[in-house]
Amino acid sequence: MNPWQEVLDRIEEGDEEDLAAFLDGLSDLGRRAVAVQLPGHLAEELRGGFQARREIEGLAPGFRLAGAACFTGAQQVAAWLNRRELRWVRDPERDAERLVFLLRRRPVEWRRDLAVRLAERLRPPAGGRWRRGQGVPGWDVAAALMSQTGLEPPDDDAFVVGWVWRLVLRRHADGRRLDGDPLLAALLPRLFQAQGVAGPLAVDESRGVGRSVLGELVVLAGEGRVPRGTLIDGCAGRFLAGGPAEEIAPFVRLWRMLRPLAEEIPVLEFVRLLPSASLVLAELALEELQRAESAGLLDEELFAEAVGALAYRPEKKLLQSVVRWLARTPAPRGGGGVPALAILFDVDTPALRERAVRLAVKLAPHAGDAGREAVREAAARLPAGLRERVAAGYGAIASAEPEQPVAGVLRAPELPALAPPFASPAELVAELRALGWSEEPQRCERVLAGIVELTHRDRDGMVAALRPWWEESRPQADDPNVYVFDRHVHDRGVHTLLARCALAVVAPQESRRLSAAVAESYAYHACGDWPAQRLLRRRLEEVIALLEGGGTLAGLLATPTAATGHVDAASLVGRMELLRDAEPLAADFEQALLRLPRDVDPELLVRADKLPSQAGRVLAAWLRDGGWPDPSVDCQVRRQERTGYGLRSGSYRLLVKVVPPAGLPAWLAELWGSEARSTYLSDRSDAVWWPLIMPSHREIVAGWLVRCMPWLSASNDFRMAALAALAQGEGPVGAATAVAVAGGLAHRWDAQRAAAAEAALTLAARGQFPAAEVGWAVVELVRHEFVTLKRITVALDDLAAAGAHAEVWRALAVALPLLLPGPGERPRAGLGELLGVAVRAAVLAGAKGEIFGLAEMAARKGSSLVLHEARRLYEAITP
C-alpha cells in the first residue's frame, strides 16, 4: 500500500469522512510519508494558475485533514490550516469536528498550543459580501480545541467576532438558541468592546428570520438568565467608546429593546456624547435625555450643555429638535438655552433661523449675560428684518460687514508621463505576468509595443525569456479548459490577447492551433462588440497573426506618444518611412490615423508626399485636408414604449445618434455610425479604452458613454474613468459630453462622482466647458428622473468652489428658467439648495442679468428656503 497515493485519491474524491477514517488508522510511518509529499504536491498544483487554485479550494477540507493528521508540530499544523487556499471550507463546524477527532490522541499541551496559535491568527472576514457572510475562517477549530482541552477562550476582537458570526449562522441554519451556548457567559461582556461585531449582528437583523441574537439577549435578560445590568452597562460603555455609525447601530437597537428605566439612563455620559456621536446615537441620546428630564433627572446646567452641543451639530433634524425642545421648556429654564439659539442664527435654513429668532426674543427676559452677548454678536450677521426683531429684545445691534467669497483657482490635472520602452525581454515578461484583471490602456499599449519591438530586435531572446513561464503554465494535452499563460483562451479581453501575442512568439505552432480553434467563437462574439472594441481586437489579432507566421515589425504605427493617446504626426510619418514601400498592418494604421492630433505641422506634408505606399498616400491626404470632418452627434430624451431588462413601459431613454459626413473611408463610417448589437458592454472595462482609441473625437466617445446601458449614474463600470480621460483629449464637446458630465456628477458612488468632477474641472480649466449644454442636460435628466436634483446640486456647488464658478453660473442660467415653478406649481424638491449654489456662483463670477421667472418667484410671500434663495439670487444679479 502506498499511503500517500491512498490519501491523495481520497482527497481528490472529496469524501472527507472516508479520508478521516483512513487517516485515523494510518501508522506513524504512513503519516510521515504523507507529510513529506503533501507540501510539495500542493505547491506543484498551485502553479497551474487561477483554475488550479479554485480546484484546490474546493478540496480544502481533505487537504486540511491530511496536514493536521500527518504533520508533527503544532506550529506546522497551524500554518497549514491557515494557508490562504485552505482556510475556507463549506461546513466549518463539521470540518472542526473531524479535525478534533483526528487530533484527539495528541498530548493535551500540544492541542492547547495549536488552539492558541490558531486563535492568534484569526482575522475578521474580508472579501466580497458572500465571503464575509461565512464567518471568521478557522474559528470553529480553535474554539473546539479550547473546549476539548479546557482552555479559557481569548478575549481578542477576532475571536469574539468569530463567536458572534457562529451564533448568527447557527441560528439561521438550524434555529439553535443562544441560551445553550457554552461561551455566552465568558464572552458576553466582550460583545460590547470588540470591533467588528456589528457586521454579523447587522446580517442577523437583515435576514429577519425569527428573533435576532440581540432580541434573544433581551428575552434572556427579562427571564433573569442574563444580567440586565451587563447589557445596559455594556451598551453605555460602547456608546462612550465611539466609532463609526455602523459599529454603534446594533447597540442602539439593543438599548431601545431593553428600554431602560429613567433612573438607569447615564445622563452625564449622554450629554457628553452629543457633540461627536454619530447621528443614530445622537438621536438616541436626545430621546433619553428628554425622558430623564421628564423624570426630573436632568438639571439646568446639563440641559444648557445638551442644547448647546446639539446646536453645533450639522444635521438639520437635530437642529430642529433643539428649537422644539427649547420651545416647550418653561421660560426660566429655557433661558439657559439662549446661547444655543444664537448659534442657530447662522444656519442656512431660513425657516429654522426665523424660529430661532422668535424664540430668542421670547426668552430675552430670562437670558443671562453670556446668552445676551452671544445673541447680539450673532444677530449682527442676520438680514436687516431679523436683526431688527432681535434688537427689540436685546437692544440696538449694528450690522457686521459680510465676508467676501474667495474664488478657487482652476487647474487642469496633469497627466503622468509615459513609461519608457522596455529595456529587455526579461523586463517585458515581468510586466506581462504582472497584468491583473483591470485593463490599463497605456500599460497594455506599452506591453504590445514591447512584444513587437523586442521580437523584431531579438526573437531568440524573447523566446528564451518567455519559455520558463510558458512551460510552467502550459496546459495538459487532455485539458478541456485551454489556458494561455494563466488566461483562458476564450476570454477576449486585451490581457488575454496580449498573452496570445506572447504565445505566438514562444510557441507559434501552438498559437496557430489555438487561433484556429477560437476563430469561430471570436467571430460570433465580435458581432456583439461595440465598434471601437472590434477595431481594438482586430489590431491585436493582426499582431498575433504576424508573429505566428514568423514575421516581425520594427514597431507599431499606433503606439501612443502622449498620455492622452495621441500619436505625434511627425512620429507617425517617421514610422511610415521605416516601412518604405511595405504596407502597414491595416487596423494598426487605422488606429494611428484616429490618434493624430487636430493641429499638425503643415511642413510634414512634404515628407508624407514622398511615402511610396498606398497607406502613405492616405496619410498625406489626411494631412493635406486637415483631417476628417466631424460627424453630427445628436442627443435627445425619448419616451421608451418597449419593455426589457432595466426598462419599464413609458420610461424615458437618452438616444444618441452619430451621423458621419459623406466621403469617409468605409471603415471609419462604420466605426462612427454603426451601433452595437447590444447596448451593454461586453466587458466592464471596455469603455476605458475609448478615449485612447479616439483622443481627437471627444463628442463621439461621450455619445458612446451615454448610449451604454445601464444608465450612467447607476453603473458600476469604468465609464466615469473614461470621461475623465476624454476631457484631456481634443475635438468638439456638446450635448453628449454635457449629458455624460451631468450624469456623472449625479452618480451614486463617490469615486465615479469624483471622476466626473475631474472631467468638468479639466474642461473648465481649458476653456472648453459646454455650459449651455450642461444646463440643458441638468434640466432633462432631472425632469425625466435620470438623476436626483439633490446629488447634482452638491456636485455643482463643489465645482463652483473649486474655481469653475463662471461655468456653473452659465449652466444654471440656462437651467433655472426651466426648473422654477410656474404660478400655482409646487417647487421641485432640492430647488432651494440649487438656487443657493446659483447665488454663490453668481457672486463669485460677478454675474448680472435676468433669469426668466426669478423676479416673480422672489416676490412671493413665505419663508421657505426656495423663496429665501430666490430673493438672494435676484438681489445678487440685478444690476
Side-chain angles (χ1 to χ4, degrees):
M1 180 186 74
N2 184 335
W4 162 240
Q5 193 58 51
E6 293 278 353
V7 168
L8 183 59
D9 288 345
R10 285 171 170 82
I11 291 175
E12 292 178 344
E13 288 170 4
D15 188 347
E16 287 84 21
E17 304 301 332
D18 182 44
L19 175 62
F22 180 80
L23 289 169
D24 190 49
L26 201 58
S27 67
D28 290 343
L29 184 62
R31 294 190 184 203
R32 284 197 293 272
V34 173
V36 169
Q37 297 286 339
L38 191 58
H41 172 78
L42 187 62
E44 182 66 26
E45 288 295 310
L46 289 173
R47 291 195 186 98
F50 174 75
Q51 185 62 27
R53 181 177 294 275
R54 291 288 300 272
E55 292 173 359
I56 292 295
E57 289 174 351
L59 298 174
F63 280 106
R64 288 166 62 84
L65 288 172
C70 299
F71 293 140
T72 56
Q75 182 178 3
Q76 191 179 15
V77 173
W80 180 259
L81 295 179
N82 275 292
R83 289 186 62 125
R84 179 180 301 178
E85 60 275 1
L86 301 182
R87 295 180 73 199
W88 295 96
V89 292
R90 292 182 301 273
D91 188 348
E93 288 194 273
R94 184 67 189 115
D95 173 73
E97 291 172 3
R98 286 191 293 259
L99 287 170
V100 170
F101 168 76
L102 283 176
L103 297 172
R104 69 190 185 281
R105 298 191 183 96
R106 304 279 183 120
V108 171
E109 288 305 317
W110 187 98
R111 283 176 284 153
R112 285 181 173 176
D113 183 25
L114 176 60
V116 170
R117 292 178 183 276
L118 291 175
E120 287 174 347
R121 298 190 186 196
L122 294 178
R123 296 292 181 272
R129 182 181 299 178
W130 179 84
R131 272 285 196 224
R132 295 196 304 271
Q134 301 304 301
V136 175
W139 183 89
D140 295 87
V141 181
L145 285 170
M146 288 177 181
S147 175
Q148 185 192 59
T149 60
L151 198 64
E152 286 293 320
D155 61 356
D156 61 272
D157 288 0
F159 192 85
V160 177
V161 172
W163 172 62
V164 178
W165 268 116
R166 186 51 54 208
L167 293 178
V168 170
L169 295 174
R170 283 173 182 165
R171 195 178 71 80
H172 289 282
D174 53 25
R176 269 181 274 182
R177 288 178 58 89
L178 186 61
D179 55 351
D181 187 271
L183 296 175
L184 179 62
L187 296 184
L188 181 59
R190 284 286 299 153
L191 175 70
F192 302 95
Q193 301 165 15
Q195 295 294 324
V197 297
L201 292 176
V203 169
D204 190 28
E205 295 279 344
S206 66
R207 291 181 178 175
V209 180
R211 185 180 291 126
S212 66
V213 167
L214 295 180
E216 282 197 56
L217 283 175
V218 173
V219 171
L220 293 175
E223 295 172 351
R225 299 161 72 183
V226 166
R228 175 182 167 85
T230 299
L231 302 184
I232 293 176
D233 293 344
C235 286
R238 190 66 185 86
F239 297 156
L240 289 172
E246 59 271 17
E247 287 290 330
I248 299 292
F251 302 103
V252 171
R253 292 194 296 273
L254 177 57
W255 183 278
R256 293 187 189 281
M257 287 189 283
L258 289 168
R259 187 65 176 175
L261 300 173
E263 293 77 12
E264 296 175 304
I265 298 172
V267 173
L268 177 62
E269 288 79 4
F270 273 17
V271 171
R272 300 292 159 79
L273 282 174
L274 290 175
S276 58
S278 62
L279 177 59
V280 64
L281 179 55
E283 289 178 322
L284 174 70
L286 175 59
E287 294 170 13
E288 296 300 88
L289 288 173
Q290 290 174 339
R291 275 211 301 137
E293 183 184 41
S294 300
L297 300 174
L298 183 67
D299 62 38
E300 292 187 5
E301 185 178 347
L302 286 178
F303 166 77
E305 183 179 344
V307 294
L310 288 168
Y312 279 108
R313 299 280 308 202
E315 299 90 352
K316 187 181 297 184
K317 62 193 305 184
L318 291 179
L319 301 182
Q320 292 168 339
S321 298
V322 171
V323 175
R324 288 195 295 268
W325 194 2
L326 283 169
R328 64 172 178 261
T329 300
R333 181 183 176 90
V338 167
L341 293 172
I343 298 168
L344 299 181
F345 287 2
D346 289 318
V347 300
D348 58 2
T349 307
L352 182 59
R353 189 167 55 219
E354 288 189 20
R355 289 186 64 192
V357 166
R358 288 199 304 270
L359 195 52
V361 172
K362 176 183 174 183
L363 293 172
H366 307 282
D369 292 341
R372 296 183 70 84
E373 183 60 30
V375 166
R376 290 175 57 80
E377 190 274 332
R381 297 185 294 273
L382 288 172
L386 293 178
R387 191 169 60 250
E388 291 172 2
R389 290 166 60 180
V390 174
Y394 293 85
I397 300 170
S399 65
E401 287 293 326
E403 292 184 13
Q404 296 300 318
V406 179
V409 179
L410 270 177
R411 291 187 179 89
E414 292 187 9
L415 291 174
L418 290 179
F422 292 104
S424 67
E427 183 184 352
L428 169 62
V429 172
E431 179 71 355
L432 188 58
R433 296 187 72 160
L435 293 177
W437 293 104
S438 296
E439 293 179 6
E440 302 173 47
Q442 284 288 15
R443 190 180 181 190
C444 294
E445 286 284 355
R446 179 173 178 246
V447 169
L448 178 62
I451 292 173
V452 171
E453 293 166 12
L454 291 174
T455 301
H456 180 75
R457 292 206 301 264
D458 182 10
R459 185 159 194 152
D460 290 341
M462 277 292 290
V463 170
L466 284 166
R467 185 168 298 283
W469 185 23
W470 167 241
E471 292 295 341
E472 74 182 45
S473 62
R474 190 172 184 173
Q476 300 296 323
D478 59 349
D479 187 354
N481 299 310
V482 181
Y483 287 82
V484 179
F485 298 115
D486 298 339
R487 296 187 180 272
H488 200 288
V489 73
H490 288 286
D491 175 10
R492 297 165 55 251
V494 172
H495 289 176
T496 299
L497 291 172
L498 288 173
R500 288 187 56 202
C501 289
L503 177 66
V505 175
V506 69
Q509 183 174 355
E510 179 68 14
S511 180
R512 288 192 293 271
R513 185 186 69 78
L514 285 179
S515 294
V518 302
E520 184 177 349
S521 170
Y522 270 37
Y524 171 79
H525 289 291
C527 297
D529 283 342
W530 284 63
Q533 248 53 40
R534 289 201 292 270
L535 172 63
L536 172 62
R537 292 185 175 116
R538 187 158 55 89
R539 180 169 168 245
L540 284 156
E541 288 165 0
E542 282 182 341
V543 173
I544 293 169
L546 171 75
L547 297 174
E548 284 177 348
T552 63
L553 283 173
L556 295 173
L557 300 181
T559 300
T561 58
T564 57
H566 283 105
V567 174
D568 176 66
S571 298
L572 178 56
V573 172
R575 293 168 181 176
M576 292 283 288
E577 288 171 339
L578 293 176
L579 292 175
R580 300 197 175 114
D581 58 350
E583 295 294 335
L585 299 176
D588 188 45
F589 179 60
E590 293 166 5
Q591 177 63 92
L593 292 177
L594 286 169
R595 285 177 171 166
L596 284 170
R598 290 188 165 243
D599 296 324
V600 297
D601 185 354
E603 296 183 4
L604 283 174
L605 183 58
V606 177
R607 289 171 58 192
D609 277 333
K610 297 177 182 178
L611 295 172
S613 64
Q614 174 61 31
R617 289 189 286 275
V618 172
L619 175 58
W622 191 100
L623 294 171
R624 188 178 301 109
D625 297 339
W628 300 299
D630 289 306
S632 67
V633 182
D634 184 38
C635 187
Q636 296 181 356
V637 178
R638 287 286 183 267
R639 191 173 182 84
Q640 177 68 44
E641 296 300 339
R642 69 181 180 86
T643 59
Y645 180 74
L647 300 173
R648 63 183 186 277
S649 180
S651 64
Y652 290 86
R653 285 194 63 187
L654 278 156
L655 301 181
V656 179
K657 184 70 175 177
V658 179
V659 180
L664 293 180
W667 67 268
L668 183 61
E670 180 183 357
L671 175 67
W672 283 357
S674 66
E675 296 188 10
R677 185 173 65 182
S678 171
T679 54
Y680 288 84
L681 298 174
S682 301
D683 186 87
R684 293 174 62 246
S685 62
D686 281 357
V688 80
W689 278 93
W690 298 346
L692 206 75
I693 291 173
M694 296 206 305
S696 294
H697 300 87
R698 292 183 292 191
E699 185 70 354
I700 301 174
V701 174
W704 291 347
L705 297 178
V706 174
R707 189 188 291 167
C708 283
M709 292 290 284
W711 160 237
L712 208 64
S713 295
S715 65
N716 63 347
D717 52 36
F718 292 87
R719 276 181 281 170
M720 289 299 97
L723 179 62
L726 171 154
Q728 298 282 0
E730 298 178 353
V733 289
T737 303
V739 168
V741 168
L745 292 175
H747 206 286
R748 58 178 177 167
W749 302 117
D750 292 343
Q752 280 83 345
R753 281 200 304 277
E758 179 184 330
L761 290 172
T762 299
L763 292 170
R766 300 176 68 185
Q768 299 166 349
F769 187 83
E773 290 85 353
V774 169
W776 165 84
V778 168
V779 173
E780 291 297 304
L781 297 182
V782 169
R783 277 181 172 176
H784 297 102
E785 300 181 356
F786 286 95
V787 303
T788 61
L789 185 57
K790 179 180 179 180
R791 199 175 285 157
I792 202 168
T793 296
V794 173
L796 290 173
D797 199 17
D798 291 341
L799 289 182
H805 44 272
E807 290 76 12
V808 170
W809 168 249
R810 293 202 305 273
L812 292 180
V814 173
L816 285 175
L818 302 172
L819 292 174
L820 291 175
E825 294 180 348
R826 291 177 59 85
R828 189 181 299 273
L831 181 59
E833 288 80 1
L834 185 66
L835 285 166
V837 174
V839 173
R840 291 185 284 278
V843 170
L844 288 170
K848 300 295 179 183
E850 182 179 352
I851 299 292
F852 180 79
L854 181 62
E856 292 79 3
M857 190 77 183
R860 293 187 187 181
K861 294 182 178 180
S863 60
S864 67
L865 179 62
V866 170
L867 296 179
H868 173 76
E869 297 294 359
R871 293 180 195 122
R872 288 182 63 214
L873 180 59
Y874 181 73
E875 293 173 2
I877 66 174
T878 300

